């Protein structure tokens, strides 16, 4: 059996601080704002808060470009405010996981200022510098945010690598001094009492020697460098060294964000004897609605495709390693708009998706606003968008002649600002998020969809999440039980069975807008469901209503 651990039994809630709660009227969320909303999280029942970056940053990528790892971003408050926040969180019996962004820093970080200043500076080698090739960049890699992954710097007449924006130069993990400085910085935060790290694109830190050109698609001016920087040659060595130097000395939770990771690699990153990480964020289920052209190449994702992918991950990490479970984060569109129905069945389908995910094996992550069924947003003007990835894509594709309407459709479907519109607290101006002008507009549906409304409604999505979290805390089968798919060829239902120590849990979820029947006699009693009454059951037929979800439990 899988060994027990608190982080396997926990439910995590992600806060994107910029959009959670403003306490000063600046229009930007802040630490004291978060403190003022801890009741909401305690009532929901979550165990751990993961805070997206709150470090000093020029905000080219909303804090994922860090200028000083030991300072708090001025807009968010002071170190004292952060310490108070940590104390408040601990005081309520919850834990705090910080974001760790060490694949790159900001170009305004002191290390980079030193590094770019001369070829023989002590910090030169903290970043990845190369000479140009034939009057252009050193290789053909494109940046994740568009354009070349290389920026020419006149001071030393050479190029530095930036897999993200040009203000996010990649750190050079080949350099021993850099690695030791990172470990010391992590130790300082752990000694302050943080309970773990979510590690930003941590599987990008080891680049293949020689930085070879990547494969290039016909119309793309840039090559895909990912085979040479994702899960690179020294990644396990670096993580084991980090574990040895830092992680093993603390009782913490670690989750590595890992685009492009497959299930065998995930096992290697997370199995206990490898001494690396507790779990990873994989992205396969987030990429199923994208074509070969990447995230903006929109494709429908039929439910069976989603089902077989999630099932594959459940089975692959069943005995070794551990899964994270998530539908949403600050980079993804809202799940109820993506895989549910955010119109007529918003509440029912949001609850169905919640039940489907929270009854699986792994540690569930809830992203702010998911617990009240927040939806994607459609702003008319590109000027209303703030996200660097979205804006770069729009400008680049407009130059390529793609019509405005087509680009807005892509942004409505996949843009990161869908997740970043301010948290909808109540029906007052700007949804109670700020008394000033919000940095990103509030979704206009806030008068109907907000936390105050959810508190009033006993049948709300919020209380459904609360119930799911409570059940996970009470029942070992939800945390540790085995997983097996039921009805694996059905076009419209996602059903599975969990087993643990003689207990059985069966989960039935419909993705259909129409009623349907399953030939099945579920075991035991309905434990939880998203309709007031349990589904109809007559001589071996279970009648599921639109987007119905029900879990049945039997203790032998
Ligand atoms: C992944 C983060 O989640 C995303 O928001 C960020 O833009 C990139 N890594 C770069 O740090």
């Amino acid at each position: 059996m899988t060994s027990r651990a608190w982080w396997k039994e926990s439910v995590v809630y992600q806060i994107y601080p910029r959009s959670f709660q403003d306490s000063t009227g600046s229009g930007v969320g802040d630490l004291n704002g978060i403190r003022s909303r801890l009741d909401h999280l305690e009532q929901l029942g979550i165990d751990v808060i993961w805070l997206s970056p709150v470090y000093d940053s020029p905000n080219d990528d909303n804090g994922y470009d860090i200028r000083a790892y030991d300072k708090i971003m001025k807009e968010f408050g002071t170190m004292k405010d952060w310490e108070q926040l940590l104390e408040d969180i601990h005081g309520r019996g919850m834990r705090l996981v910080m974001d760790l962004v060490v694949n790159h820093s900001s170009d305004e970080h002191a290390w980079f200022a030193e590094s770019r200043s001369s070829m023989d500076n002590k910090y030169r080698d903290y970043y990845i510098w190369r000479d140009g090739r034939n009057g252009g960049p050193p290789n053909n890699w494109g940046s994740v945010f568009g354009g070349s992954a290389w920026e020419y710097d006149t001071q030393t007449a050479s190029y530095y690598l930036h897999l993200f924006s040009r203000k996010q130069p990649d750190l050079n993990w080949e350099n021993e001094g850099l690695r030791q400085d990172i470990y010391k910085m992590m130790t300082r935060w752990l000694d302050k009492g943080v309970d773990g790290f979510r590690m930003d694109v941590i599987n990008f830190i080891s680049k293949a020697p020689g930085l070879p050109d990547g494969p290039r698609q016909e119309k793309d001016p840039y090559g895909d460098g990912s085979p040479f920087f994702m899960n690179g040659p020294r990644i396990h060595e670096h993580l084991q060294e980090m574990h040895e130097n830092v992680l093993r000395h603390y009782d913490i939770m670690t989750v590595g964000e890992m685009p492009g990771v497959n299930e065998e690699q995930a096992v290697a990153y997370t199995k206990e004897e490898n001494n690396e990480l507790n779990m990873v964020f994989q992205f396969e289920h987030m990429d199923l609605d994208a074509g070969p052209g990447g995230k903006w190449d929109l494709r429908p994702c039929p439910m069976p495709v989603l089902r077989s992918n999630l099932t594959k991950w459940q089975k692959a990490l069943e005995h070794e390693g551990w899964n994270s479970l998530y539908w949403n984060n600050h980079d993804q569109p809202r799940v109820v708009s993506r895989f549910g129905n955010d119109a007529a069945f918003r509440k029912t389908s949001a609850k169905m998706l919640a039940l489907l995910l929270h009854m699986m094996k792994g540690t569930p992550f809830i992203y702010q606003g998911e617990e009240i069924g927040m939806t994607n947003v459609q702003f008319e003007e590109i000027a209303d968008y703030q996200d660097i990835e979205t804006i770069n894509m729009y400008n680049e594709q407009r130059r390529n002649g793609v019509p405005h309407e087509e680009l807005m459709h892509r942004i409505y479907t996949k843009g990161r600002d869908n997740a970043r519109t301010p948290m909808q607290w109540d029906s007052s101006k700007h949804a109670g998020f700020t008394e000033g002008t919000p940095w990103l507009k509030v979704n206009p549906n806030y008068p109907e969809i907000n936390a105050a409304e959810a508190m009033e409604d006993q049948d709300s999505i919020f209380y459904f999440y609360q119930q799911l979290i409570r059940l996970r805390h009470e029942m070992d089968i939800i945390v540790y039980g085995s997983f097996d798919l039921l009805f694996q060829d059905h076009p419209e239902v996602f059903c599975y069975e969990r087993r643990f120590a003689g207990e059985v849990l069966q989960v039935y979820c419909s993705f259909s807008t129409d009623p349907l029947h399953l030939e099945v006699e579920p075991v035991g009693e309905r434990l939880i469901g998203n309709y007031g009454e349990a589904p109809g059951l007559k001589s071996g037929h279970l009648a599921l209503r639109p987007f119905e979800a029900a879990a049945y439990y039997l203790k032998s």
Side-chain angles (χ1 to χ4, degrees), residues 463-501:
Y463 291 121
F464 196 75
Y465 269 86
Q466 186 189 55
Q467 223 182 322
L468 288 168
I469 296 167
R470 190 180 312 129
L471 288 171
R472 176 167 283 264
H473 290 156
E474 287 166 358
M475 299 173 70
D476 276 345
I477 186 171
I478 300 176
V479 180
Y480 297 108
S482 62
F483 175 99
D484 282 293
L485 197 62
L486 305 172
F487 295 98
Q488 46 189 347
D489 296 321
H490 196 290
E492 288 181 307
V493 297
F494 191 153
C495 307
Y496 56 86
E497 185 170 86
R498 309 282 313 271
R499 283 178 183 269
F500 182 79

Side-chain angles (χ1 to χ4, degrees), residues 535-550:
L537 183 62
K538 225 161 130 196
S539 51
H541 281 265
L542 184 70
L544 292 178
R545 289 154 284 193
F547 292 105
E548 180 149 18

Side-chain angles (χ1 to χ4, degrees), residues 61 64 101 104 145 164 168 198 200-201 257 330-331 416 420:
D61 186 22
Y64 282 92
V101 188
H104 46 268
F145 290 161
F164 294 88
Q168 293 168 297
R198 172 269 185 190
D200 193 68
V201 288
E257 189 208 23
H330 62 289
D331 295 328
R416 303 197 297 179
R420 299 177 182 186

Side-chain angles (χ1 to χ4, degrees), residues 98-165:
M98 295 288 276
D99 221 301
L100 181 81
V101 188
V102 291
N103 171 68
H104 46 268
S105 72
S106 163
D107 66 338
E108 298 183 27
H109 194 289
W111 291 338
F112 193 70
E114 295 279 344
S115 179
R116 79 188 333 172
S117 68
S118 76
M119 297 274 203
D120 51 14
N121 185 281
K122 170 171 174 241
Y123 292 96
R124 179 65 175 181
D125 211 22
Y126 271 37
Y127 294 85
I128 302 173
W129 295 95
R130 293 289 185 276
D131 291 335
R133 185 177 67 180
N134 310 325
N139 72 17
N140 73 353
W141 295 2
S143 135
V144 175
F145 290 161
S148 167
W150 295 93
E151 182 77 5
Y152 182 70
D153 198 54
T154 50
Q155 287 186 62
T156 54
S158 46
Y159 289 82
Y160 65 85
L161 178 70
H162 61 89
L163 294 179
F164 294 88
S165 98

Side-chain angles (χ1 to χ4, degrees), residues 421-439:
T421 58
M423 177 71 185
Q424 293 163 210
W425 293 107
D426 57 41
S427 59
S428 68
K429 199 168 174 212
H430 303 314
F433 163 68
T434 181
E435 285 175 4
T437 308
W439 71 278

Side-chain angles (χ1 to χ4, degrees), residues 57-123:
S57 162
N59 281 310
D60 192 51
D61 186 22
N62 289 354
Y64 282 92
D65 48 322
I66 297 175
R67 183 163 47 202
Y69 288 105
D70 292 287
K71 285 196 187 142
I72 296 294
M73 193 191 299
K74 277 210 180 66
E75 286 172 291
F76 289 173
T78 63
M79 187 59 86
K80 272 226 138 32
D81 297 334
W82 181 85
E83 283 161 2
Q84 195 58 57
L85 173 65
L86 179 67
E87 201 178 311
D88 290 359
I89 290 171
H90 283 168
R92 289 169 187 257
M94 300 187 283
R95 290 176 158 103
L96 179 64
V97 161
M98 295 288 276
D99 221 301
L100 181 81
V101 188
V102 291
N103 171 68
H104 46 268
S105 72
S106 163
D107 66 338
E108 298 183 27
H109 194 289
W111 291 338
F112 193 70
E114 295 279 344
S115 179
R116 79 188 333 172
S117 68
S118 76
M119 297 274 203
D120 51 14
N121 185 281
K122 170 171 174 241
Y123 292 96

Side-chain angles (χ1 to χ4, degrees), residues 372-442:
I372 56 168
M374 279 177 62
T375 67
N376 282 351
V377 73
Q378 302 196 350
F379 297 130
E380 245 166 70
E381 306 290 334
I382 186 68
D384 287 330
Y385 286 85
Q386 297 285 346
D387 171 33
I388 180 170
E389 181 191 46
T390 299
I391 295 167
N392 287 355
M393 184 282 288
Y394 180 88
N395 292 334
E396 203 171 296
Q397 295 309 321
R398 283 299 286 145
R399 280 195 298 273
N400 292 344
V402 183
H404 167 82
E405 289 69 27
E406 158 67 22
L407 295 175
M408 294 314 281
H409 174 61
R410 290 187 199 170
I411 294 169
Y412 296 160
T413 314
K414 281 290 187 64
R416 303 197 297 179
D417 282 340
N418 283 307
R420 299 177 182 186
T421 58
M423 177 71 185
Q424 293 163 210
W425 293 107
D426 57 41
S427 59
S428 68
K429 199 168 174 212
H430 303 314
F433 163 68
T434 181
E435 285 175 4
T437 308
W439 71 278
L440 173 66
K441 282 188 183 170
V442 174

